[in-house]
C-alpha cells in the first residue's frame, strides 16, 4: 500500500471509531424510553416479544463496526475502539452527574424535575451498560478472530454471526440483570426483556451480515487486500514518525 492509501485508511478508521462511540453513548442516554415493535404479536414470559428499549436501536451498530474494524484493521485496533468507547461513556456520565446538580433557572425550558426524570437513572444505566458492554465487546472481538483464524479468513458470515450471538447474549443478560438489581426495571419483566432483547439482536445480526460483506468488499477492492489480509495502521504511524 502507498502512503496515500494508508492515510486514507487511517481517516476511515477514525470515522468508524466516531460512529462507534456516538452510537454507544447515545444508546446509554436514551435507554429509558421503551417501544413495542409489531412484526408478530407474541408474548414470552408474559412480556411482548419485541417490547424494547430505544437504546437498542443504535447499539447493534457498534457490533457491526467492531466486526468491520476487526476484519480490516485487526484485533488490536478493534480493542482500542472499545476502550475509547468506555472512556467516552465515563466522560458522558460525569457531565450528566454535574448537570443534575446544577440548579435550573425559573425560566429554563427543562426544569430540574424533568431533567432528573429523563436522566435520573442514566448513571446506573451507563454503569450497567459499560460493564455488560466491556465483557460483550471483548468476547465478540476474541471470538471473531478465533473463527477468522480457524477458517483462514474465509466464511465471513460465520464469524460475524457466531461471535455476535455469544456476545449479544452476554450483553443482554448482564445489562438486564444489573438494571433489575438497581431497581431501574422490575424483576417481573426480567426474563421477557432478556428474551426480547436477545432475539432482536440476533435478527439484527442476520440482517447486518450483507452490510458487512459490502464494507469488506469495498475495502478489499479499494486497497487491494487479499482474503484475511489486514491494514497495519501502526506501521504507517511509524513511517510518519521517522
Amino acid at each position: 500500500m502507498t502512503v496515500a492509501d494508508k492515510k486514507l485508511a487511517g481517516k476511515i478508521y477514525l470515522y468508524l471509531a466516531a460512529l462507534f462511540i456516538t452510537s454507544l453513548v447515545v444508546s446509554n442516554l436514551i435507554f429509558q424510553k421503551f417501544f413495542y415493535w409489531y412484526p408478530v404479536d407474541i408474548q414470552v414470559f408474559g412480556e411482548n416479544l419485541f417490547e424494547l428499549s430505544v437504546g437498542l436501536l443504535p447499539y447493534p451498530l457498534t457490533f457491526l463496526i467492531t466486526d468491520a474494524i476487526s476484519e480490516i484493521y485487526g484485533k488490536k485496533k478493534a480493542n482500542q475502539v472499545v476502550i475509547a468507547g468506555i472512556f467516552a461513556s465515563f466522560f458522558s456520565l460525569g457531565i450528566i452527574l454535574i448537570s443534575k446538580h446544577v440548579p435550573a433557572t425559573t425560566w429554563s425550558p427543562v426544569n430540574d424535575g424533568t431533567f432528573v426524570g429523563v436522566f435520573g437513572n442514566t448513571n446506573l444505566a451507563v454503569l450497567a451498560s459499560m460493564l455488560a458492554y466491556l465483557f460483550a465487546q471483548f468476547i465478540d472481538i476474541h471470538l471473531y478472530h478465533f473463527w477468522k483464524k480457524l477458517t483462514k479468513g474465509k466464511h465471513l458470515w460465520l464469524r460475524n454471526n457466531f461471535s455476535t450471538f455469544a456476545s449479544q447474549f452476554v450483553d443482554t443478560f448482564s445489562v438486564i440483570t444489573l438494571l433489575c438489581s438497581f431497581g431501574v426495571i422490575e424483576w417481573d419483566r426480567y426474563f421477557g426483556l432478556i428474551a426480547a432483547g436477545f432475539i432482536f439482536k440476533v435478527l439484527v445480526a442476520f440482517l447486518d451480515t450483507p452490510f458487512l460483506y459490502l464494507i469488506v468488499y469495498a475495502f478489499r477492492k479499494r486497497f487491494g487486500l487479499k482474503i484475511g489480509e489486514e491494514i497495519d495502521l501502526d506501521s504507517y504511524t511509524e513511517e510518519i514518525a521517522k
Side-chain angles (χ1 to χ4, degrees):
M1 291 178 62
T2 65
V3 174
D5 285 340
K6 290 188 176 181
K7 185 176 181 180
L8 175 60
K11 287 182 178 180
I12 296 174
Y13 173 77
L14 180 62
Y15 296 149
L16 289 174
L19 286 174
F20 173 86
I21 294 171
T22 301
S23 299
L24 176 65
V25 172
V26 169
S27 68
N28 291 330
L29 296 178
I30 65 176
F31 88 101
Q32 291 192 82
K33 179 179 178 179
F34 283 76
F35 71 101
Y36 185 23
W37 185 39
Y38 292 91
V40 289
D41 189 10
I42 298 176
Q43 287 193 340
V44 179
F45 299 107
E47 293 291 326
N48 293 322
L49 180 58
F50 292 104
E51 194 170 79
L52 306 163
S53 166
V54 294
L56 288 179
L57 297 178
Y59 201 72
L61 181 61
T62 65
F63 286 87
L64 173 62
I65 292 174
T66 52
D67 283 353
I69 291 176
S70 290
E71 183 68 24
I72 302 300
Y73 296 98
K75 185 176 181 179
K76 181 180 178 180
K77 288 301 179 183
N79 284 332
Q80 287 177 351
V81 171
V82 171
I83 294 172
I86 295 172
F87 172 80
S89 295
F90 272 112
F91 186 71
S92 64
L93 175 60
I95 293 175
I96 291 170
L97 287 175
I98 294 173
S99 300
K100 284 171 59 178
H101 290 89
V102 175
T105 62
T106 56
W107 50 265
S108 176
V110 178
N111 58 35
D112 289 327
T114 301
F115 188 89
V116 172
V118 175
F119 296 106
N121 291 320
T122 300
N123 55 336
L124 298 178
V126 172
L127 177 61
S129 180
M130 281 192 296
L131 292 174
Y133 159 81
L134 175 63
F135 287 110
Q137 282 288 2
F138 283 124
I139 288 174
D140 180 72
I141 294 170
H142 178 78
L143 290 178
Y144 188 94
H145 284 275
F146 168 79
W147 287 110
K148 184 177 182 179
K149 183 178 180 180
L150 187 66
T151 59
K152 297 180 180 180
K154 300 178 180 180
H155 308 302
L156 177 61
W157 63 270
L158 187 148
R159 55 183 173 275
N160 173 53
N161 286 287
F162 279 23
S163 64
T164 301
F165 292 166
S167 59
Q168 294 286 22
F169 177 78
V170 170
D171 173 63
T172 304
F173 172 80
S174 300
V175 73
I176 297 299
T177 299
L178 288 167
L179 290 177
C180 286
S181 299
F182 288 137
V184 177
I185 298 176
E186 298 177 356
W187 279 104
D188 59 357
R189 297 183 177 274
Y190 179 72
F191 292 106
L193 290 176
I194 287 180
F198 178 65
I199 293 173
F200 175 78
K201 291 175 181 178
V202 167
L203 289 176
V204 171
F206 276 121
L207 294 174
D208 74 18
T209 301
F211 293 99
L212 181 61
Y213 268 91
L214 287 173
I215 293 171
V216 172
Y217 172 78
F219 268 94
R220 287 175 178 169
K221 184 176 181 180
R222 173 60 183 80
F223 297 104
L225 300 175
K226 299 177 182 178
I227 293 177
E229 186 179 0
E230 299 170 353
I231 298 175
D232 186 2
L233 290 181
D234 289 335
S235 63
Y236 166 68
T237 304
E238 292 174 359
E239 290 177 10
I240 295 297
K242 290 181 180 180

